[in-house]
PDB file of all heavy atoms in Angstrom:
ATOM      1  N   ILE A   1     121.408  59.630-115.737  1.00 93.00           N
ATOM      2  CA  ILE A   1     120.526  59.310-116.866  1.00 93.00           C
ATOM      3  C   ILE A   1     119.817  57.981-116.627  1.00 93.00           C
ATOM      4  O   ILE A   1     118.606  57.856-116.817  1.00 93.00           O
ATOM      5  CB  ILE A   1     121.334  59.263-118.181  1.00 93.00           C
ATOM      6  CG1 ILE A   1     121.891  60.642-118.519  1.00 93.00           C
ATOM      7  CG2 ILE A   1     120.456  58.750-119.321  1.00 93.00           C
ATOM      8  CD1 ILE A   1     122.818  60.655-119.715  1.00 93.00           C
ATOM      9  N   TYR A   2     120.581  56.990-116.201  1.00 92.00           N
ATOM     10  CA  TYR A   2     120.050  55.639-116.050  1.00 92.00           C
ATOM     11  C   TYR A   2     118.954  55.562-114.987  1.00 92.00           C
ATOM     12  O   TYR A   2     118.001  54.803-115.128  1.00 92.00           O
ATOM     13  CB  TYR A   2     121.205  54.698-115.694  1.00 92.00           C
ATOM     14  CG  TYR A   2     120.876  53.234-115.842  1.00 92.00           C
ATOM     15  CD1 TYR A   2     120.949  52.623-117.092  1.00 92.00           C
ATOM     16  CD2 TYR A   2     120.504  52.464-114.753  1.00 92.00           C
ATOM     17  CE1 TYR A   2     120.651  51.279-117.249  1.00 92.00           C
ATOM     18  CE2 TYR A   2     120.204  51.115-114.890  1.00 92.00           C
ATOM     19  CZ  TYR A   2     120.286  50.529-116.143  1.00 92.00           C
ATOM     20  OH  TYR A   2     119.992  49.192-116.292  1.00 92.00           O
ATOM     21  N   THR A   3     119.091  56.351-113.946  1.00 93.00           N
ATOM     22  CA  THR A   3     118.107  56.323-112.845  1.00 93.00           C
ATOM     23  C   THR A   3     117.078  57.450-112.939  1.00 93.00           C
ATOM     24  O   THR A   3     116.392  57.750-111.961  1.00 93.00           O
ATOM     25  CB  THR A   3     118.831  56.413-111.494  1.00 93.00           C
ATOM     26  OG1 THR A   3     119.602  57.641-111.452  1.00 93.00           O
ATOM     27  CG2 THR A   3     119.762  55.233-111.296  1.00 93.00           C
ATOM     28  N   LEU A   4     116.966  58.044-114.096  1.00 92.00           N
ATOM     29  CA  LEU A   4     116.104  59.209-114.272  1.00 92.00           C
ATOM     30  C   LEU A   4     114.640  58.905-113.950  1.00 92.00           C
ATOM     31  O   LEU A   4     113.928  59.742-113.380  1.00 92.00           O
ATOM     32  CB  LEU A   4     116.223  59.718-115.713  1.00 92.00           C
ATOM     33  CG  LEU A   4     115.591  61.068-116.044  1.00 92.00           C
ATOM     34  CD1 LEU A   4     116.256  62.176-115.232  1.00 92.00           C
ATOM     35  CD2 LEU A   4     115.721  61.359-117.532  1.00 92.00           C
ATOM     36  N   ALA A   5     114.166  57.720-114.294  1.00 91.00           N
ATOM     37  CA  ALA A   5     112.750  57.371-114.091  1.00 91.00           C
ATOM     38  C   ALA A   5     112.603  56.181-113.151  1.00 91.00           C
ATOM     39  O   ALA A   5     111.694  55.358-113.321  1.00 91.00           O
ATOM     40  CB  ALA A   5     112.095  57.078-115.427  1.00 91.00           C
ATOM     41  N   ILE A   6     113.468  56.093-112.162  1.00 93.00           N
ATOM     42  CA  ILE A   6     113.413  54.953-111.251  1.00 93.00           C
ATOM     43  C   ILE A   6     112.176  55.007-110.340  1.00 93.00           C
ATOM     44  O   ILE A   6     111.666  53.969-109.909  1.00 93.00           O
ATOM     45  CB  ILE A   6     114.712  54.879-110.405  1.00 93.00           C
ATOM     46  CG1 ILE A   6     114.776  53.529-109.673  1.00 93.00           C
ATOM     47  CG2 ILE A   6     114.777  56.038-109.420  1.00 93.00           C
ATOM     48  CD1 ILE A   6     116.062  53.322-108.910  1.00 93.00           C
ATOM     49  N   ILE A   7     111.679  56.200-110.054  1.00 94.00           N
ATOM     50  CA  ILE A   7     110.502  56.314-109.172  1.00 94.00           C
ATOM     51  C   ILE A   7     109.258  55.670-109.785  1.00 94.00           C
ATOM     52  O   ILE A   7     108.572  54.884-109.117  1.00 94.00           O
ATOM     53  CB  ILE A   7     110.250  57.782-108.786  1.00 94.00           C
ATOM     54  CG1 ILE A   7     111.423  58.312-107.943  1.00 94.00           C
ATOM     55  CG2 ILE A   7     108.940  57.919-108.019  1.00 94.00           C
ATOM     56  CD1 ILE A   7     111.304  59.772-107.561  1.00 94.00           C
ATOM     57  N   PRO A   8     108.915  55.936-111.073  1.00 92.00           N
ATOM     58  CA  PRO A   8     107.749  55.250-111.661  1.00 92.00           C
ATOM     59  C   PRO A   8     107.902  53.735-111.738  1.00 92.00           C
ATOM     60  O   PRO A   8     106.903  53.023-111.859  1.00 92.00           O
ATOM     61  CB  PRO A   8     107.660  55.860-113.070  1.00 92.00           C
ATOM     62  CG  PRO A   8     108.367  57.164-112.971  1.00 92.00           C
ATOM     63  CD  PRO A   8     109.459  56.955-111.980  1.00 92.00           C
ATOM     64  N   LEU A   9     109.136  53.249-111.671  1.00 92.00           N
ATOM     65  CA  LEU A   9     109.354  51.807-111.720  1.00 92.00           C
ATOM     66  C   LEU A   9     108.650  51.090-110.566  1.00 92.00           C
ATOM     67  O   LEU A   9     108.333  49.897-110.667  1.00 92.00           O
ATOM     68  CB  LEU A   9     110.859  51.510-111.686  1.00 92.00           C
ATOM     69  CG  LEU A   9     111.281  50.055-111.906  1.00 92.00           C
ATOM     70  CD1 LEU A   9     110.837  49.563-113.278  1.00 92.00           C
ATOM     71  CD2 LEU A   9     112.794  49.920-111.761  1.00 92.00           C
ATOM     72  N   ALA A  10     108.389  51.815-109.470  1.00 93.00           N
ATOM     73  CA  ALA A  10     107.661  51.221-108.338  1.00 93.00           C
ATOM     74  C   ALA A  10     106.286  50.723-108.760  1.00 93.00           C
ATOM     75  O   ALA A  10     105.799  49.704-108.246  1.00 93.00           O
ATOM     76  CB  ALA A  10     107.528  52.250-107.216  1.00 93.00           C
ATOM     77  N   LEU A  11     105.649  51.416-109.700  1.00 93.00           N
ATOM     78  CA  LEU A  11     104.334  50.996-110.179  1.00 93.00           C
ATOM     79  C   LEU A  11     104.413  49.657-110.892  1.00 93.00           C
ATOM     80  O   LEU A  11     103.570  48.775-110.689  1.00 93.00           O
ATOM     81  CB  LEU A  11     103.757  52.059-111.113  1.00 93.00           C
ATOM     82  CG  LEU A  11     103.514  53.444-110.505  1.00 93.00           C
ATOM     83  CD1 LEU A  11     103.126  54.435-111.585  1.00 93.00           C
ATOM     84  CD2 LEU A  11     102.429  53.376-109.436  1.00 93.00           C
ATOM     85  N   GLN A  12     105.435  49.501-111.728  1.00 91.00           N
ATOM     86  CA  GLN A  12     105.575  48.263-112.480  1.00 91.00           C
ATOM     87  C   GLN A  12     105.807  47.068-111.567  1.00 91.00           C
ATOM     88  O   GLN A  12     105.156  46.026-111.698  1.00 91.00           O
ATOM     89  CB  GLN A  12     106.725  48.407-113.483  1.00 91.00           C
ATOM     90  CG  GLN A  12     106.672  47.416-114.631  1.00 91.00           C
ATOM     91  CD  GLN A  12     107.572  46.219-114.440  1.00 91.00           C
ATOM     92  OE1 GLN A  12     108.395  46.197-113.538  1.00 91.00           O
ATOM     93  NE2 GLN A  12     107.406  45.216-115.287  1.00 91.00           N
ATOM     94  N   TYR A  13     106.710  47.200-110.610  1.00 92.00           N
ATOM     95  CA  TYR A  13     106.997  46.103-109.687  1.00 92.00           C
ATOM     96  C   TYR A  13     105.768  45.749-108.844  1.00 92.00           C
ATOM     97  O   TYR A  13     105.444  44.579-108.661  1.00 92.00           O
ATOM     98  CB  TYR A  13     108.166  46.476-108.770  1.00 92.00           C
ATOM     99  CG  TYR A  13     109.511  46.086-109.303  1.00 92.00           C
ATOM    100  CD1 TYR A  13     110.108  46.801-110.331  1.00 92.00           C
ATOM    101  CD2 TYR A  13     110.196  44.997-108.783  1.00 92.00           C
ATOM    102  CE1 TYR A  13     111.348  46.447-110.830  1.00 92.00           C
ATOM    103  CE2 TYR A  13     111.446  44.631-109.272  1.00 92.00           C
ATOM    104  CZ  TYR A  13     112.021  45.364-110.303  1.00 92.00           C
ATOM    105  OH  TYR A  13     113.249  45.004-110.804  1.00 92.00           O
ATOM    106  N   THR A  14     105.091  46.765-108.343  1.00 93.00           N
ATOM    107  CA  THR A  14     103.942  46.527-107.472  1.00 93.00           C
ATOM    108  C   THR A  14     102.805  45.821-108.192  1.00 93.00           C
ATOM    109  O   THR A  14     102.255  44.830-107.707  1.00 93.00           O
ATOM    110  CB  THR A  14     103.427  47.863-106.897  1.00 93.00           C
ATOM    111  OG1 THR A  14     104.467  48.483-106.142  1.00 93.00           O
ATOM    112  CG2 THR A  14     102.222  47.635-105.992  1.00 93.00           C
ATOM    113  N   PHE A  15     102.462  46.311-109.372  1.00 91.00           N
ATOM    114  CA  PHE A  15     101.298  45.767-110.068  1.00 91.00           C
ATOM    115  C   PHE A  15     101.588  44.432-110.743  1.00 91.00           C
ATOM    116  O   PHE A  15     100.714  43.561-110.804  1.00 91.00           O
ATOM    117  CB  PHE A  15     100.768  46.787-111.074  1.00 91.00           C
ATOM    118  CG  PHE A  15     100.210  48.023-110.419  1.00 91.00           C
ATOM    119  CD1 PHE A  15     100.450  49.278-110.944  1.00 91.00           C
ATOM    120  CD2 PHE A  15      99.456  47.932-109.268  1.00 91.00           C
ATOM    121  CE1 PHE A  15      99.940  50.419-110.341  1.00 91.00           C
ATOM    122  CE2 PHE A  15      98.932  49.055-108.647  1.00 91.00           C
ATOM    123  CZ  PHE A  15      99.184  50.308-109.191  1.00 91.00           C
ATOM    124  N   VAL A  16     102.798  44.246-111.255  1.00 92.00           N
ATOM    125  CA  VAL A  16     103.136  42.961-111.890  1.00 92.00           C
ATOM    126  C   VAL A  16     103.144  41.844-110.848  1.00 92.00           C
ATOM    127  O   VAL A  16     102.545  40.779-111.041  1.00 92.00           O
ATOM    128  CB  VAL A  16     104.490  43.048-112.618  1.00 92.00           C
ATOM    129  CG1 VAL A  16     105.002  41.661-112.973  1.00 92.00           C
ATOM    130  CG2 VAL A  16     104.355  43.883-113.881  1.00 92.00           C
ATOM    131  N   ASP A  17     103.815  42.075-109.724  1.00 91.00           N
ATOM    132  CA  ASP A  17     103.822  41.057-108.670  1.00 91.00           C
ATOM    133  C   ASP A  17     102.451  40.930-108.012  1.00 91.00           C
ATOM    134  O   ASP A  17     102.093  39.862-107.498  1.00 91.00           O
ATOM    135  CB  ASP A  17     104.882  41.385-107.617  1.00 91.00           C
ATOM    136  CG  ASP A  17     106.290  41.101-108.115  1.00 91.00           C
ATOM    137  OD1 ASP A  17     106.411  40.424-109.152  1.00 91.00           O
ATOM    138  OD2 ASP A  17     107.264  41.553-107.490  1.00 91.00           O
ATOM    139  N   GLY A  18     101.673  42.009-108.020  1.00 90.00           N
ATOM    140  CA  GLY A  18     100.307  41.943-107.511  1.00 90.00           C
ATOM    141  C   GLY A  18      99.436  41.043-108.381  1.00 90.00           C
ATOM    142  O   GLY A  18      98.630  40.264-107.870  1.00 90.00           O
ATOM    143  N   LEU A  19      99.604  41.119-109.690  1.00 89.00           N
ATOM    144  CA  LEU A  19      98.864  40.242-110.592  1.00 89.00           C
ATOM    145  C   LEU A  19      99.246  38.779-110.371  1.00 89.00           C
ATOM    146  O   LEU A  19      98.394  37.883-110.409  1.00 89.00           O
ATOM    147  CB  LEU A  19      99.133  40.637-112.051  1.00 89.00           C
ATOM    148  CG  LEU A  19      98.524  41.968-112.516  1.00 89.00           C
ATOM    149  CD1 LEU A  19      99.016  42.312-113.912  1.00 89.00           C
ATOM    150  CD2 LEU A  19      97.002  41.901-112.495  1.00 89.00           C
ATOM    151  N   THR A  20     100.530  38.539-110.125  1.00 90.00           N
ATOM    152  CA  THR A  20     100.973  37.175-109.831  1.00 90.00           C
ATOM    153  C   THR A  20     100.316  36.659-108.560  1.00 90.00           C
ATOM    154  O   THR A  20      99.857  35.508-108.496  1.00 90.00           O
ATOM    155  CB  THR A  20     102.501  37.130-109.680  1.00 90.00           C
ATOM    156  OG1 THR A  20     103.115  37.654-110.870  1.00 90.00           O
ATOM    157  CG2 THR A  20     102.994  35.718-109.450  1.00 90.00           C
ATOM    158  N   ALA A  21     100.246  37.505-107.535  1.00 90.00           N
ATOM    159  CA  ALA A  21      99.625  37.107-106.271  1.00 90.00           C
ATOM    160  C   ALA A  21      98.142  36.825-106.425  1.00 90.00           C
ATOM    161  O   ALA A  21      97.588  35.981-105.714  1.00 90.00           O
ATOM    162  CB  ALA A  21      99.833  38.202-105.223  1.00 90.00           C
ATOM    163  N   LEU A  22      97.487  37.495-107.363  1.00 87.00           N
ATOM    164  CA  LEU A  22      96.054  37.300-107.580  1.00 87.00           C
ATOM    165  C   LEU A  22      95.763  36.164-108.553  1.00 87.00           C
ATOM    166  O   LEU A  22      94.611  35.957-108.944  1.00 87.00           O
ATOM    167  CB  LEU A  22      95.421  38.601-108.106  1.00 87.00           C
ATOM    168  CG  LEU A  22      95.504  39.812-107.176  1.00 87.00           C
ATOM    169  CD1 LEU A  22      94.853  41.025-107.825  1.00 87.00           C
ATOM    170  CD2 LEU A  22      94.856  39.519-105.839  1.00 87.00           C
ATOM    171  N   GLY A  23      96.800  35.444-108.949  1.00 88.00           N
ATOM    172  CA  GLY A  23      96.611  34.293-109.821  1.00 88.00           C
ATOM    173  C   GLY A  23      96.513  34.640-111.295  1.00 88.00           C
ATOM    174  O   GLY A  23      96.034  33.829-112.092  1.00 88.00           O
ATOM    175  N   ILE A  24      96.961  35.832-111.689  1.00 87.00           N
ATOM    176  CA  ILE A  24      96.914  36.244-113.099  1.00 87.00           C
ATOM    177  C   ILE A  24      98.355  36.295-113.612  1.00 87.00           C
ATOM    178  O   ILE A  24      98.836  37.322-114.120  1.00 87.00           O
ATOM    179  CB  ILE A  24      96.202  37.596-113.270  1.00 87.00           C
ATOM    180  CG1 ILE A  24      94.951  37.655-112.394  1.00 87.00           C
ATOM    181  CG2 ILE A  24      95.795  37.825-114.719  1.00 87.00           C
ATOM    182  CD1 ILE A  24      94.222  38.981-112.436  1.00 87.00           C
ATOM    183  N   ALA A  25      99.051  35.183-113.464  1.00 87.00           N
ATOM    184  CA  ALA A  25     100.471  35.114-113.828  1.00 87.00           C
ATOM    185  C   ALA A  25     100.728  35.369-115.314  1.00 87.00           C
ATOM    186  O   ALA A  25     101.738  36.000-115.653  1.00 87.00           O
ATOM    187  CB  ALA A  25     101.052  33.771-113.404  1.00 87.00           C
ATOM    188  N   PRO A  26      99.889  34.874-116.248  1.00 88.00           N
ATOM    189  CA  PRO A  26     100.164  35.149-117.666  1.00 88.00           C
ATOM    190  C   PRO A  26     100.259  36.640-117.989  1.00 88.00           C
ATOM    191  O   PRO A  26     101.134  37.057-118.767  1.00 88.00           O
ATOM    192  CB  PRO A  26      98.971  34.502-118.382  1.00 88.00           C
ATOM    193  CG  PRO A  26      98.556  33.401-117.472  1.00 88.00           C
ATOM    194  CD  PRO A  26      98.757  33.940-116.088  1.00 88.00           C
ATOM    195  N   ALA A  27      99.389  37.436-117.397  1.00 88.00           N
ATOM    196  CA  ALA A  27      99.450  38.884-117.625  1.00 88.00           C
ATOM    197  C   ALA A  27     100.713  39.471-117.024  1.00 88.00           C
ATOM    198  O   ALA A  27     101.353  40.353-117.616  1.00 88.00           O
ATOM    199  CB  ALA A  27      98.222  39.560-117.030  1.00 88.00           C
ATOM    200  N   ALA A  28     101.110  38.990-115.839  1.00 89.00           N
ATOM    201  CA  ALA A  28     102.321  39.490-115.182  1.00 89.00           C
ATOM    202  C   ALA A  28     103.568  39.162-116.003  1.00 89.00           C
ATOM    203  O   ALA A  28     104.451  40.015-116.195  1.00 89.00           O
ATOM    204  CB  ALA A  28     102.441  38.888-113.786  1.00 89.00           C
ATOM    205  N   ILE A  29     103.636  37.938-116.505  1.00 90.00           N
ATOM    206  CA  ILE A  29     104.787  37.536-117.327  1.00 90.00           C
ATOM    207  C   ILE A  29     104.829  38.352-118.617  1.00 90.00           C
ATOM    208  O   ILE A  29     105.897  38.794-119.051  1.00 90.00           O
ATOM    209  CB  ILE A  29     104.725  36.030-117.635  1.00 90.00           C
ATOM    210  CG1 ILE A  29     104.883  35.221-116.338  1.00 90.00           C
ATOM    211  CG2 ILE A  29     105.784  35.630-118.641  1.00 90.00           C
ATOM    212  CD1 ILE A  29     104.648  33.747-116.512  1.00 90.00           C
ATOM    213  N   SER A  30     103.674  38.568-119.212  1.00 90.00           N
ATOM    214  CA  SER A  30     103.614  39.351-120.455  1.00 90.00           C
ATOM    215  C   SER A  30     104.103  40.776-120.239  1.00 90.00           C
ATOM    216  O   SER A  30     104.835  41.329-121.080  1.00 90.00           O
ATOM    217  CB  SER A  30     102.184  39.359-120.997  1.00 90.00           C
ATOM    218  OG  SER A  30     101.740  38.052-121.277  1.00 90.00           O
ATOM    219  N   LEU A  31     103.728  41.382-119.129  1.00 90.00           N
ATOM    220  CA  LEU A  31     104.165  42.748-118.837  1.00 90.00           C
ATOM    221  C   LEU A  31     105.665  42.807-118.591  1.00 90.00           C
ATOM    222  O   LEU A  31     106.341  43.757-119.028  1.00 90.00           O
ATOM    223  CB  LEU A  31     103.409  43.286-117.621  1.00 90.00           C
ATOM    224  CG  LEU A  31     101.929  43.615-117.850  1.00 90.00           C
ATOM    225  CD1 LEU A  31     101.231  43.887-116.527  1.00 90.00           C
ATOM    226  CD2 LEU A  31     101.780  44.811-118.783  1.00 90.00           C
ATOM    227  N   SER A  32     106.211  41.811-117.901  1.00 89.00           N
ATOM    228  CA  SER A  32     107.658  41.784-117.652  1.00 89.00           C
ATOM    229  C   SER A  32     108.431  41.620-118.955  1.00 89.00           C
ATOM    230  O   SER A  32     109.438  42.309-119.186  1.00 89.00           O
ATOM    231  CB  SER A  32     107.999  40.643-116.687  1.00 89.00           C
ATOM    232  OG  SER A  32     107.405  40.858-115.429  1.00 89.00           O
ATOM    233  N   LEU A  33     107.978  40.719-119.816  1.00 90.00           N
ATOM    234  CA  LEU A  33     108.643  40.517-121.107  1.00 90.00           C
ATOM    235  C   LEU A  33     108.499  41.743-122.000  1.00 90.00           C
ATOM    236  O   LEU A  33     109.411  42.076-122.757  1.00 90.00           O
ATOM    237  CB  LEU A  33     108.057  39.285-121.801  1.00 90.00           C
ATOM    238  CG  LEU A  33     108.346  37.935-121.125  1.00 90.00           C
ATOM    239  CD1 LEU A  33     107.634  36.805-121.866  1.00 90.00           C
ATOM    240  CD2 LEU A  33     109.844  37.670-121.071  1.00 90.00           C
ATOM    241  N   PHE A  34     107.356  42.408-121.890  1.00 90.00           N
ATOM    242  CA  PHE A  34     107.145  43.627-122.684  1.00 90.00           C
ATOM    243  C   PHE A  34     108.174  44.691-122.324  1.00 90.00           C
ATOM    244  O   PHE A  34     108.731  45.354-123.205  1.00 90.00           O
ATOM    245  CB  PHE A  34     105.732  44.148-122.445  1.00 90.00           C
ATOM    246  CG  PHE A  34     105.456  45.482-123.086  1.00 90.00           C
ATOM    247  CD1 PHE A  34     105.280  45.585-124.448  1.00 90.00           C
ATOM    248  CD2 PHE A  34     105.372  46.631-122.309  1.00 90.00           C
ATOM    249  CE1 PHE A  34     105.038  46.822-125.037  1.00 90.00           C
ATOM    250  CE2 PHE A  34     105.116  47.867-122.889  1.00 90.00           C
ATOM    251  CZ  PHE A  34     104.951  47.960-124.267  1.00 90.00           C
ATOM    252  N   ARG A  35     108.448  44.841-121.022  1.00 90.00           N
ATOM    253  CA  ARG A  35     109.414  45.847-120.584  1.00 90.00           C
ATOM    254  C   ARG A  35     110.834  45.482-121.006  1.00 90.00           C
ATOM    255  O   ARG A  35     111.565  46.328-121.538  1.00 90.00           O
ATOM    256  CB  ARG A  35     109.355  46.000-119.062  1.00 90.00           C
ATOM    257  CG  ARG A  35     110.439  46.927-118.498  1.00 90.00           C
ATOM    258  CD  ARG A  35     110.286  47.127-117.003  1.00 90.00           C
ATOM    259  NE  ARG A  35     111.358  47.952-116.483  1.00 90.00           N
ATOM    260  CZ  ARG A  35     112.476  47.477-115.945  1.00 90.00           C
ATOM    261  NH1 ARG A  35     112.656  46.166-115.846  1.00 90.00           N
ATOM    262  NH2 ARG A  35     113.414  48.297-115.495  1.00 90.00           N
TER     263      ARG A  35
END
């Protein structure tokens, strides 16, 4: 049950850290806190 949707989690990690790399850290932090 716990790992049921672990595959889509790749999108969250990739794009949140991608935003941080592009200098848009506030959006990345907001998305992490939202989750």
Side-chain angles (χ1 to χ4, degrees):
I1 295 174
Y2 194 82
T3 59
L4 190 62
I6 192 175
I7 295 177
L9 187 61
L11 298 172
Q12 200 261 350
Y13 270 75
T14 300
F15 294 139
V16 166
D17 286 346
L19 290 173
T20 304
L22 298 180
I24 317 177
I29 295 172
S30 300
L31 288 169
S32 296
L33 293 176
F34 173 74
R35 174 176 177 265

